[in-house]
Amino acid sequence: MEWLVSLVGVGLVLAVLRDLFHTLWHPTRHGGVSRLVMTSMWRLARRSRIRRRVAGLVGPLAMVTVVGLWAVIIILGWAIIYWPHMPGAFTLTPGSRAAQEPALLDSVYLSLVTVATLGLGDITPGEGWLRLVSPLEALVGFALLTATVSWVLEIYPALTRRRVLAIRLALLHRSAPTTEHIDSVAGAALLDSLATEVVRVRIDFTQYAEAYYFHDGEDHSSLAAILGYAVALARRGQAARRPDVRLTGDLLAGALDDLATILDQRFLHTGGTTTEVFAAYAADHDRNVPQS
């Protein structure tokens, strides 16, 4: 029976490690704790009466919540592993009051100081297998800290790339390029560079799905608000006379179609056309789409 309880703890730890792996290093579309938390917080914020104020905090708060949940489950999982063997399989320092406390409380305490790599030493494992398991928990705690820092350092460059594309499209919309501007060598270069940036953003949404739950600020820096104009630019390129402009127009249109597919499969589930998906994306982020 003791080993069955410990196996429950092992299962909790492995579930967190699996979720951490798929969130940070092998993103998939198949849910997980992190995806469930972020989606739930996003939907809750959208239903709030003050969602305009709250929505901008959803992304950062969701990341903090996910990391906190990972840490809590890891601590509890290892505590459950220790619990059936406490205090008999452990050595207590002379004068320690640990033996006078409930075994579960001592197990949580030991798990907390171990995962934080404090190593206070008032409770130490005595049996051989526990002497191996306890340092392993410290390694997992260090891995969690490292993964959290890496997650933060990776997500914000992705957000920057998205906002750069949004601001560039907004500036183009404001300058209102004519047909002659588009149907030229410069126009071909412009459409080609936009296609490259759209592909980067598409990859970011695949690799960092949590980026979807971050707001971009005002409409001029919001990709959700301006993607419709990118579709219009692609169509103008496809209708141009110059073959190089038509080619880059096709490239931009294809990149936008791929981006719409990713957004629809992972977040929106409309089953619509590229234009409809981008309209749903703007609506989900409470954005006003500028007229082409």
Side-chain angles (χ1 to χ4, degrees), residues 93-174:
T93 58
S96 173
R97 299 183 56 187
Q100 302 174 14
E101 303 292 341
L104 180 59
L105 181 61
D106 284 340
S107 300
V108 172
Y109 163 75
L110 176 61
S111 179
L112 183 59
V113 298
T114 304
V115 82
T117 66
L118 294 177
L120 298 182
D122 52 342
I123 303 178
T124 56
E127 294 189 4
W129 71 274
L130 285 172
R131 292 169 66 87
L132 295 176
V133 167
S134 186
L136 183 61
E137 182 183 5
L139 288 176
V140 171
F142 182 75
L144 177 61
L145 175 61
T146 304
T148 301
V149 173
S150 300
W151 198 16
V152 173
L153 293 178
E154 289 173 350
I155 189 65
Y156 282 98
L159 296 175
T160 299
R161 288 188 289 270
R162 191 172 81 191
R163 288 164 185 163
V164 166
L165 175 59
I167 292 173
R168 189 178 180 196
L169 287 170
L171 291 173
L172 280 170
H173 183 265
R174 191 183 309 165

Side-chain angles (χ1 to χ4, degrees), residues 3-291:
W3 288 105
L4 289 178
V5 175
S6 294
L7 287 176
V8 172
V10 171
L12 288 174
V13 173
L14 291 178
V16 171
L17 293 178
R18 178 188 181 278
D19 188 62
L20 191 151
F21 174 76
H22 282 294
T23 299
L24 271 64
W25 297 297
H26 186 249
T28 64
R29 2 180 319 203
H30 302 294
V33 175
S34 56
R35 183 68 181 277
L36 179 62
V37 169
M38 291 187 171
T39 303
S40 301
M41 291 183 67
W42 179 260
R43 291 174 179 172
L44 187 63
R46 282 190 51 76
R47 293 174 184 173
S48 172
R49 294 182 179 179
I50 54 172
R51 65 185 187 182
R52 274 281 188 173
R53 298 179 183 177
V54 174
L57 299 174
V58 171
L61 287 179
M63 289 183 69
V64 171
T65 302
V66 168
V67 172
L69 189 61
W70 284 339
V72 168
I73 295 177
I74 285 176
I75 291 169
L76 290 179
W78 242 281
I80 292 173
I81 294 173
Y82 299 143
W83 182 28
H85 313 281
M86 182 70 71
F90 294 85
T91 301
L92 309 181
T93 58
S96 173
R97 299 183 56 187
Q100 302 174 14
E101 303 292 341
L104 180 59
L105 181 61
D106 284 340
S107 300
V108 172
Y109 163 75
L110 176 61
S111 179
L112 183 59
V113 298
T114 304
V115 82
T117 66
L118 294 177
L120 298 182
D122 52 342
I123 303 178
T124 56
E127 294 189 4
W129 71 274
L130 285 172
R131 292 169 66 87
L132 295 176
V133 167
S134 186
L136 183 61
E137 182 183 5
L139 288 176
V140 171
F142 182 75
L144 177 61
L145 175 61
T146 304
T148 301
V149 173
S150 300
W151 198 16
V152 173
L153 293 178
E154 289 173 350
I155 189 65
Y156 282 98
L159 296 175
T160 299
R161 288 188 289 270
R162 191 172 81 191
R163 288 164 185 163
V164 166
L165 175 59
I167 292 173
R168 189 178 180 196
L169 287 170
L171 291 173
L172 280 170
H173 183 265
R174 191 183 309 165
S175 63
T178 64
T179 302
E180 289 74 18
H181 291 145
I182 298 297
D183 198 1
S184 64
V185 175
L190 170 67
L191 296 178
D192 182 65
S193 63
L194 287 176
T196 300
E197 292 186 43
V198 170
V199 170
R200 289 196 185 105
V201 171
R202 182 256 191 205
I203 293 173
D204 286 337
F205 274 122
T206 304
Q207 189 69 30
Y208 313 110
E210 58 276 7
Y212 181 87
Y213 306 107
F214 281 75
H215 269 242
D216 293 320
E218 301 301 326
D219 283 351
H220 74 278
S221 62
S222 172
L223 189 63
I226 201 65
L227 268 176
Y229 180 64
V231 175
L233 282 176
R235 289 173 179 170
R236 291 173 66 182
Q238 290 174 306
R241 291 174 299 176
R242 293 177 59 93
D244 55 340
V245 178
R246 291 198 301 271
L247 175 60
T248 53
D250 289 339
L251 288 175
L252 178 56
L256 290 168
D257 289 343
D258 286 345
L259 175 58
T261 299
I262 292 297
L263 289 173
D264 202 41
Q265 287 179 346
R266 289 177 173 255
F267 311 105
L268 299 169
H269 312 293
T270 67
T273 64
T274 295
T275 301
E276 291 169 344
V277 170
F278 289 160
Y281 178 34
D284 200 33
H285 282 251
D286 295 321
R287 295 302 178 186
N288 298 315
V289 179
Q291 299 298 317

